[in-house]
Amino acid sequence: MANFSGEDEAMLQAMLRQLFQSVKEKITGAPSLECAEEILLHLEETDENFHNYEFVKYLRQYICNTLGSMIEEEMEKWTADQNQGEEFGYDTVVQHVTKRTQESKEYKEMIHSLKNIMMIVVESMINKFEEDEIRSQERQKKIQKEKSSSYCTDNCSDSDSSFNQSYKFCQGKLQLILDQLDPGQPKEVRYEALQTLCSAPPSDVLNCENWTTLCEKLTVYLSDPDPVFSDRILKFYAQTFTLSPLHMTKEIYTSLAKYLELYFLSRENNIPTLSTGIDISNPNVTHLLKKIRLLNEYQKEAPSFWIRHPEKYMEEIVESTLSLLSVKHDQSHLVSQKILDPIYFLALVDTKAVWFKKWMHAYYSRTTVLRLLEKKYKSLITTAVQQCVQYFELCETMKGDEVLEHSKSCGIKQKTFYYSGQELQYIYFIHSLSLLGRLLIYTQGRKLFPIKLKTRKDSVSLTDLLVLFTQLIYRSPACPKMTSPGHLEDYSPASMATEVLCILCDQKECAIECLYNNTVIEALLQPIHNLMKGTKAAPNCSETALIHIAHILARIASVEEGLTLLLYGENMNSSEEKSPTGAHLIAQFSKKLLDEDISIFSGSEMFPVVKGAFTSVCRQIYGTCEGLQVLIPYSLHESIAKAWKKTSLLSERIPTPVEGSDSISLVSQESQNIMAWEENLLDDLLNFAATPKGLLLLQRTGAINECVTFMFNRYAKKLQISRHKKFGYGVLVTQVASTAAGAIALQNSGFINALITELWANLECGRDDVRVTHPRSTPVDPIDQSCQKSFLALVNLLSYPAVFELLGNQSLPNKTEYSLREVPTSIIDIIDRLIILNSEAKIRSLFNYEQSHIFGLRLLSVVCCDLDTLLLLEAQYQVSEMLLNAQEENTLETSESHREFIIDSLSVERNHVLVRINLIGGPMERILPPRLLEKGDEPYPWPMFSSYPLPNCYLSDCVTRSTDLKQDNDLGKLLLRFKMSDKQTAWIENCRKQFCKIMKAKPDIISGSALVELLEKFVLHLSESPSECYFPSVEYTATDANVKNENLSSVQQLGIKMTVRYGKFLSLLKDGAENDLTMVLKHCERFLKQQQASTKSPLLCLQRNYTSHDWFVSSLFIIMLGDKDKTFRFLQQFSRLLTSAFLWLPRLHISRYLPADTIESGIHPVYFCSTHYIEMLLKAEVPLVFSAFHMSGFAPSQICMQWITQCFWNYLDWIEICHYIATCVFLGPDYQVYICIAIFKHLQQDILQHTQTQDLQVFLKEEALHGFRVSDYFEYMEILEQNYRPVLLRDMRNIRVQST
């Protein structure tokens, strides 16, 4: 610093000026100070003259003088050290020396000194610059006073910054550039002026008053014959678009659009015609396309920022664009001599009209575009429609080869320099198709139709246009196959039309208005109609076209409104439909494809893809209850299963490729195709499991194990369940787990193992040591969020059929020692490790004993809401005894004779479970203790217990006691009718009407002895009427002595005790009732055994008598006030009626009245018939609840099956259970369905709420049906009967083997 002189300062200033002068263009073009700094920092990489700058040479010499000797010493020292050891590369030496140098004292002193020197130099330069600025301002003021013309002052620039621009762009400078740009000036002067303009900050240029004049001149100069000059103007435009705000770029854009509009309108310009085509190697065409492309690039970028500015700017941009695109030349001459309009050139640079898509995306711009199209520029839409119509007419009239020639541009990416008139017409057609497809998405866009064309007598309506798009798929030519197919299909007419229609399908409102009508659907199905008739589908219809059609149909079928249209047509209630609806035709065609009953495509390599596409459409249909009902007659499950078995055999026969053989790739490709087709067919079969009846059909195919394994493999890979499915595997798993065979398939597939392993990893520990290094947070909820998903999955899985198959006859492991790393793999392991913790070994094996045991108790609480599961667990594992023992151990001795229970989370949970599993009753009949503690001195006021009986506080005092109300007038009238001698059909209907009247007005009188008499007499008369009997009469002669020695299962025995306990609580049963009920159940077993078929099945549930307790007989026994003779006599008569099949579930257990394949499936008619229709009606009547089930991954069929099986015990109060049974007996078995729908309607708000909290399954299984009364929904159920009874009763009657 001491040696730094004035000469040194001047020298350094000169060096810096040289450097900045050399990089001036790069820096001034930078949009911000940060960018300019980045340019300087990376100058060595971007400037080839970097090392020749004097300033760079000065820095190098300065560093060498200061640090050179130290660097040499370090290198010698490093080299000497390494001679004695391992050699290192040059890079290592450099890194070491550099690091030592940067850490040295000399380096830090050098940096400090250099920084001080440069600060002096830079400060001096800034001061000098400011003095020059002051002098410049004074000169400008003098000039302003002397001259009459007004120039802007120096403060016009708004781009000042701490970096300081190399100069200020002012009014005088702009005027000078204007003068220099004049055509009379030499070429070099004009170039230099334009270069200066491009180097200046655009904001400075656009803020000057002379900007308008410059803009006008630049617009004129765009037509300059000198290509370099016009290109530089475009460069200025592009730079302005990039760096300036909208209100400035708007002027540039509108001026460019106006220039192009005038350019096309001028007759002096040599614009190509259709006959000559476009040669893009022509300089004039090249320059024109550059201008169009620049315009188009800005069109695509502008929507991302114009919302931040006043609407008028956006309107000017939109209007100038539409005005340009609406330019039309005189059409009086021949079409071939037609001068190309601007839209042709825009289509060439933006074939798929991306600009229009972006403009229509936001409401802000869309309203303006649509308003201007409607008021001023509708011709743009008219010509787009005209172009589509003309192309379609061309396809209709010309020969295939000619049309193919016309459509060559579907391989547009392979084009080089020349586009013929035909190709331009095709490109314009694609642009028009894309534009119209985007327009139709929006309501206001659709309001622009119908469109009147000059060439057509009738206007083109929305439907006409959609039909035209549809017909383009199979009437336009397919593109020829080329070596590079990457872009081939993107521009083919069929592919483009399919893309547009698929987008319209995805917009619900648009699809309903445009697509979902018979005319469009018939157009889509026309090729299939033709193929089914044995004729050619269409002149140009290929396998690819059929695949496109199938994709559109699949999208339509995946939406409720579209599915309804395919199933029933537009006139659902009309009987005038002559041709089959879309669903029938699709099913027929798919079946022919699967059975290979169509010869036209046989042998084609695309044939499996066509089959897969149409079975995918069918999958969307039969994956719903209503769709399956329509498609059942076609037995698609059999055709798909047959095709799968055939494909499976083919995949086994594929030869192993031999190394070095040319056939390796062919064999590999063939095997991949076969495996893909096999998986596709398994997926099609799996989707039958989405509905209860579909699951029965799937089990009949014998492929359920393979389908469930396929599902698990996809689940394990986290693959989407299906292209059009909105939710995951939950519903499918729940449906499958609701049946015995499905539960076994889930176990064999590894699904249950994976589920439990995942649960254990979250609850306790995984198989690795990740938890040691990354400990998880301490849970605060009873079931931690990380375990919630696994908990709900187990709840879905553990229906009673699944529990019985997975646990039946299995004892607990009860090991003496458990390893801390021993991970459970089955349901029995979960019960052993988490629920029945009856030994110290089990407790010690848990890392998180309290949390894990609470999880198990919560699971036990939910699972035991199914009374059959409760009885099974009690019979096999004595769960209540285990819980009582645990409570006994959880006490504290306060005195010699008194022990108090320790209140903790486990004892509170056990107390809740104990009350729940030992007390029967509806919402008003039992009181369940809460799981949460209360605030105050007594946090848990509910008494705990460790032995029976339960404390009285859990028994409700609000039980409705039965009273004898036979004296009621309405009831008297009904009883009087039973004494009439003429008991024909009209009599039955009158009885039913009288019953409905009583239920609506005085439901409480249908109880007690009055109910007994009503049921006895009504069923007696029905059983004597042949028209009302569904099952044949069975002679039964066994006496009490004959059945006395027969043994009931332990489950039945526990069920008897539970029934008697409940009956006594209701004051309806007396002492001795247990023996009487035992006798009734023994007679029932003997009576039903006479009607059973012999079967051999691996399923546990089919290897013995009915595995559950008979809840219907128990309910009837209580209704009959414990009279065993009345009860069994009633059951014998009732067994002849159709209603018995659905109320009395053991009635059809292994029954000979069912088809053999139904018996072997182990699925009860209540599941595949009643719950199937419950799901179907739920979707139609209470759609929000249906959607809630799907969102929760739970199936309505499972909870309904549980309700119906146990006759709503624990869910309804006794009086409502009586009304449920009486309603179904009097009014028919379909009322079982209507009552469940009424319950879901009643629970709608609760269901929606618990869907939000993600515990819907738990809520439905644990909670009683509070506030529900059968009588309150009678009018609603009567409406359901009017709408659905014919279909339901027809299907219910079809469960039995029909006589031939």
Side-chain angles (χ1 to χ4, degrees), residues 366-653:
R366 182 167 68 245
T367 50
T368 301
V369 173
L370 292 172
R371 174 168 50 79
L372 289 171
L373 283 174
E374 181 181 8
K375 292 185 176 180
K376 296 177 67 175
Y377 302 106
K378 195 171 182 179
S379 60
L380 190 63
I381 306 303
T382 304
T383 52
V385 174
Q386 180 69 48
Q387 191 68 17
C388 292
V389 170
Q390 284 180 355
Y391 179 78
F392 178 73
E393 290 174 349
L394 184 75
C395 294
E396 291 285 278
T397 55
M398 294 177 66
K399 294 180 180 178
D401 294 341
E402 294 173 333
V403 181
L404 190 58
E405 182 69 24
H406 186 81
S407 306
K408 268 186 181 177
S409 57
C410 60
I412 195 168
K413 298 294 179 182
Q414 297 186 355
K415 295 294 297 181
T416 51
F417 299 115
Y418 178 74
Y419 290 90
S420 67
Q422 287 185 336
E423 290 172 334
L424 290 171
Q425 286 279 53
Y426 181 76
I427 292 171
Y428 180 23
F429 154 71
I430 293 296
H431 187 274
S432 301
L433 183 64
S434 302
L435 186 145
L436 291 171
R438 186 58 50 177
L439 184 73
L440 295 181
I441 291 175
Y442 307 104
T443 304
Q444 293 302 318
R446 296 192 294 273
K447 287 182 179 178
L448 296 174
F449 289 83
I451 296 288
K452 180 66 179 174
L453 301 182
K454 293 181 180 179
T455 57
R456 288 171 67 108
K457 182 178 179 182
D458 299 325
S459 298
V460 177
S461 65
L462 273 176
T463 301
D464 295 334
L465 190 64
L466 268 294
V467 168
L468 186 147
F469 289 171
T470 301
Q471 293 177 335
L472 279 172
I473 296 173
Y474 52 84
R475 292 187 180 275
S476 60
C479 289
K481 293 182 180 177
M482 299 182 186
T483 55
S484 176
H487 301 283
L488 195 59
E489 279 302 308
D490 288 349
Y491 292 92
S492 70
S495 177
M496 290 299 301
T498 302
E499 183 181 325
V500 167
L501 290 171
C502 285
I503 291 172
L504 296 181
C505 286
D506 293 338
Q507 312 297 320
K508 185 175 180 179
E509 184 182 346
C510 167
I512 291 172
E513 187 175 342
C514 297
L515 281 170
Y516 298 160
N517 60 71
N518 283 344
T519 307
V520 175
I521 297 298
E522 285 173 7
L524 266 175
L525 296 174
Q526 189 59 49
I528 304 174
H529 267 295
N530 295 343
L531 287 170
M532 293 293 288
K533 292 177 183 175
T535 59
K536 193 173 180 181
N540 294 305
C541 187
S542 63
E543 297 100 315
T544 307
L546 287 174
I547 292 167
H548 287 320
I549 289 171
H551 286 166
I552 296 168
L553 289 170
R555 284 179 183 264
I556 291 173
S558 67
V559 180
E560 182 61 29
E561 291 79 7
L563 177 63
T564 302
L565 179 67
L566 289 176
L567 291 176
Y568 312 113
E570 277 186 292
N571 304 317
M572 287 181 59
N573 300 321
S574 173
S575 58
E576 299 176 5
E577 292 287 336
K578 296 179 181 178
S579 59
T581 61
H584 288 282
L585 189 64
I586 294 166
Q588 292 168 12
F589 184 62
S590 301
K591 188 171 178 63
K592 279 184 171 290
L593 289 173
L594 289 166
D595 296 341
E596 298 185 359
D597 199 17
I598 291 182
S599 58
I600 187 168
F601 295 131
S602 59
S604 167
E605 61 181 22
M606 295 289 286
F607 189 42
V609 185
V610 176
K611 290 194 284 187
F614 276 94
T615 51
S616 178
V617 183
C618 293
R619 181 199 306 174
Q620 297 302 317
I621 299 173
Y622 65 63
T624 65
C625 294
E626 64 274 26
L628 183 65
Q629 287 302 119
V630 172
L631 297 195
I632 275 180
Y634 301 103
S635 301
L636 282 173
H637 60 292
E638 295 177 359
S639 297
I640 296 172
K642 183 180 176 183
W644 166 70
K645 289 171 183 173
K646 180 179 177 182
T647 309
S648 183
L649 289 173
L650 283 176
S651 65
E652 294 172 3
R653 294 175 184 172

Side-chain angles (χ1 to χ4, degrees), residues 1020-1146:
L1020 174 63
H1021 294 313
L1022 288 182
S1023 63
E1024 291 174 350
S1025 172
S1027 62
E1028 294 294 328
C1029 290
Y1030 181 76
F1031 296 104
S1033 176
V1034 176
E1035 186 178 350
Y1036 181 76
T1037 58
T1039 62
D1040 289 355
N1042 298 134
V1043 299
K1044 185 176 181 179
N1045 294 326
E1046 292 189 3
N1047 295 321
L1048 295 177
S1049 68
S1050 56
V1051 168
Q1052 288 274 39
Q1053 292 172 20
L1054 287 172
I1056 290 168
K1057 292 178 180 178
M1058 188 178 285
T1059 302
V1060 172
R1061 196 164 62 244
Y1062 184 40
K1064 288 183 176 180
F1065 166 70
L1066 296 171
S1067 301
L1068 296 175
L1069 295 182
K1070 299 175 182 177
D1071 293 337
E1074 191 170 321
N1075 293 330
D1076 289 341
L1077 179 55
T1078 301
M1079 197 58 67
V1080 171
L1081 288 173
K1082 287 181 177 181
H1083 276 293
C1084 287
E1085 274 198 5
R1086 173 75 71 90
F1087 175 67
L1088 294 177
K1089 202 167 187 177
Q1090 292 180 201
Q1091 305 168 57
Q1092 290 178 355
S1094 58
T1095 180
K1096 293 182 179 179
S1097 172
L1099 298 177
L1100 284 177
C1101 63
L1102 298 181
Q1103 294 175 4
R1104 60 175 76 178
N1105 292 331
Y1106 189 64
T1107 57
S1108 312
H1109 181 65
D1110 195 334
W1111 299 105
F1112 177 74
V1113 170
S1114 295
S1115 303
L1116 203 64
F1117 182 74
I1118 298 176
I1119 289 174
M1120 297 294 178
L1121 306 177
D1123 189 323
K1124 67 172 185 177
D1125 295 327
K1126 276 188 179 181
T1127 302
F1128 186 63
R1129 187 165 56 248
F1130 175 89
L1131 287 168
Q1132 285 181 290
Q1133 297 162 358
F1134 181 63
S1135 67
R1136 299 198 60 193
L1137 307 180
L1138 176 62
T1139 309
S1140 67
F1142 297 93
L1143 280 187
W1144 186 13
L1145 269 68

Side-chain angles (χ1 to χ4, degrees), residues 749-819:
S749 71
F751 181 88
I752 295 176
N753 188 335
L755 174 64
I756 292 173
T757 303
E758 181 183 357
L759 163 67
W760 201 259
N762 291 324
L763 194 62
E764 281 289 318
C765 62
R767 296 186 184 277
D768 51 36
D769 293 325
V770 173
R771 299 291 180 217
V772 176
T773 55
H774 299 282
R776 57 180 180 156
S777 57
T778 304
V780 294
D781 298 318
I783 295 178
D784 188 53
Q785 193 63 37
S786 63
C787 303
Q788 181 71 11
K789 185 177 178 182
S790 300
F791 179 76
L792 295 178
L794 283 173
V795 170
N796 291 351
L797 175 70
L798 296 177
S799 68
Y800 177 71
V803 169
F804 186 78
E805 291 300 320
L806 300 176
L807 298 181
N809 300 329
Q810 291 194 44
S811 57
L812 291 176
N814 282 330
K815 298 179 182 178
T816 55
E817 187 177 350
Y818 293 85
S819 165

Side-chain angles (χ1 to χ4, degrees), residues 19-36:
L19 176 64
F20 284 125
Q21 189 66 30
S22 302
V23 298
K24 180 179 71 173
E25 184 177 348
K26 294 181 180 179
I27 296 175
T28 55
S32 66
L33 174 61
E34 290 78 8
C35 293

Side-chain angles (χ1 to χ4, degrees), residues 249-320:
T249 57
K250 178 264 298 182
E251 296 184 28
I252 287 286
Y253 181 88
T254 53
S255 66
L256 181 57
K258 188 65 178 175
Y259 158 77
L260 288 169
E261 185 175 346
L262 294 173
Y263 180 89
F264 278 97
L265 288 172
S266 173
R267 294 182 177 273
E268 298 176 3
N269 296 313
N270 187 22
I271 301 173
T273 63
L274 266 179
S275 58
T276 59
I278 290 181
D279 182 3
I280 58 176
S281 62
N282 183 316
N284 291 332
V285 173
T286 303
H287 297 152
L288 181 57
L289 283 173
K290 282 183 179 179
K291 295 160 189 170
I292 296 287
R293 178 170 287 284
L294 181 60
L295 203 73
N296 180 246
E297 290 298 322
Y298 183 76
Q299 288 170 350
K300 292 187 281 191
E301 290 299 323
S304 62
F305 54 77
W306 62 19
I307 195 171
R308 298 193 294 269
H309 299 273
E311 192 173 341
K312 65 176 183 178
Y313 294 128
M314 181 263 295
E315 286 188 5
E316 289 185 37
I317 293 172
V318 171
E319 181 150 19
S320 61

